[in-house]
Amino acid sequence: GNSVTQMEGPVTLSEEAFLTINCTYTATGYPSLFWYVQYPGEGLQLLLKATKADDKGSNKGFEATYRKETTSFHLEKGSVQVSDSAVYFCALESNRDDKIIFGKGTRLHILP
Amino acid sequence: GAGVSQSPSNKVTEKGKDVELRCDPISGHTALYWYRQSLGQGLEFLIYFQGNSAPDKSGLPSDRFSAERTGGSVSTLTIQRTQQEDSAVYLCASSFGFAGELFFGEGSRLTVL
C-alpha cells in the first residue's frame, strides 16, 4: 500500500540556519504530495503542495520539489526563524483512491 | 460555518463506555476524513468519505470503531467499549476535489480512564 516516510525529529537548529526535512513515499499511480504544518496550539494547515513530477511547491520561504525518480519530496528553507518552530507533516494523495495519508511528523525547534 | 467544527473538544470516559465524536465539515466539501493523532504516532488514517461513494474504512483499527456521514455533511465517529489505547486526539478534515487543501478541525481529545 501507499506510505510516507519522513525523518524523525526533533530537529533543533539555530535561527538563520538552512533546513532540510526529508520525505520519501511509496505509491501506485501518480500521487499528489503535500507538506502540512502544525504550529504550537494550532490545527494543521497546508504549507505547500505539488501535483506532478518536477513541480515545485513553495510558501513562506519553504520549498519542496516532487522528484519521481527518487520518490522524494524534501522540505527546505534557506534561513529559518524562531516562528518556524512547529511539527511538519509530509502527505500524499493517491490518484487511485483519493485517500490522503500522512507521515509521522517531524518536530522542529528553532533557537534564537 | 466558516471552518470544520468538531465536538466535544474534550471527552473523558471510563473504560468500556461508548463515545460519539461529531464533525461538521465546511459546506460544499465533498470529502471528509477522520484521523487519529497520538504522541509519537503522527496522523493515523481512520476513514474517508467522498460524496455518495462507499467510505474507505481501511484505517479503522478494530470493529469497535465505526463512522457514518449523513446527507453528505455531518459525520459521527463512534467508538464502542472504549479501551485505554483509544486515548488520542481525533481529527476531522474536509476538502473539495482531488489534490484540494485539507481543512482540519481543532480535534476531539479523548481520554479513557
Side-chain angles (χ1 to χ4, degrees), chain A residues 30 32 34 36 38 43-44 46 49 51 89 93-95 97-104, chain B residues 33 35 37 40-43 45 48 50 56 58 91 97-102 104-106:
Chain A
Y30 302 94
S32 291
F34 307 84
Y36 280 80
Q38 187 173 31
L44 277 93
L46 179 66
K49 72 177 184 182
T51 58
F89 293 89
E93 180 175 7
S94 167
N95 70 326
D97 59 18
D98 297 342
K99 188 167 66 184
I100 300 178
I101 60 171
F102 287 79
K104 291 187 181 296
Chain B
Y33 294 78
Y35 295 92
Q37 187 172 24
Q41 296 300 315
L43 261 67
F45 166 81
Y48 162 54
Q50 174 60 271
D56 182 334
S58 60
L91 293 170
F98 179 65
E101 178 177 356
L102 271 182
F104 282 84
E106 293 296 316

Side-chain angles (χ1 to χ4, degrees), chain B residues 3 5 9-10 25 27 29 33 35 39 47-48 54 58 60 63 68 75 78 82 86-87 95 99-100 102 105-106 109:
Chain B
S5 178
S9 55
N10 275 288
S27 178
H29 279 190
Y33 294 78
Y35 295 92
L39 195 62
I47 189 168
Y48 162 54
S58 60
L60 295 178
D63 59 8
E68 62 177 22
S75 177
T78 301
T82 52
D86 299 335
S87 297
S95 72
L102 271 182
E106 293 296 316
R109 180 178 296 279

Side-chain angles (χ1 to χ4, degrees), chain A residues 1-20:
Chain A
N2 298 339
S3 65
V4 177
T5 303
Q6 59 183 108
M7 62 189 296
E8 292 189 20
V11 174
T12 303
L13 296 172
S14 297
E15 203 165 25
E16 299 182 4
F18 184 86
L19 168 71
T20 300

Side-chain angles (χ1 to χ4, degrees), chain B residues 34-103:
Chain B
W34 282 98
Y35 295 92
R36 179 165 69 176
Q37 187 172 24
S38 307
L39 195 62
Q41 296 300 315
L43 261 67
E44 177 187 6
F45 166 81
L46 297 178
I47 189 168
Y48 162 54
F49 297 88
Q50 174 60 271
N52 295 320
S53 302
D56 182 334
K57 305 178 182 180
S58 60
L60 295 178
S62 78
D63 59 8
R64 296 186 296 104
F65 288 72
S66 63
E68 62 177 22
R69 188 179 185 191
T70 53
S73 180
V74 172
S75 177
T76 301
L77 177 69
T78 301
I79 308 173
Q80 296 179 309
R81 305 182 302 281
T82 52
Q83 304 294 312
Q84 288 184 332
E85 61 262 29
D86 299 335
S87 297
V89 177
Y90 289 82
L91 293 170
C92 177
S94 69
S95 72
F96 180 78
F98 179 65
E101 178 177 356
L102 271 182
F103 291 85

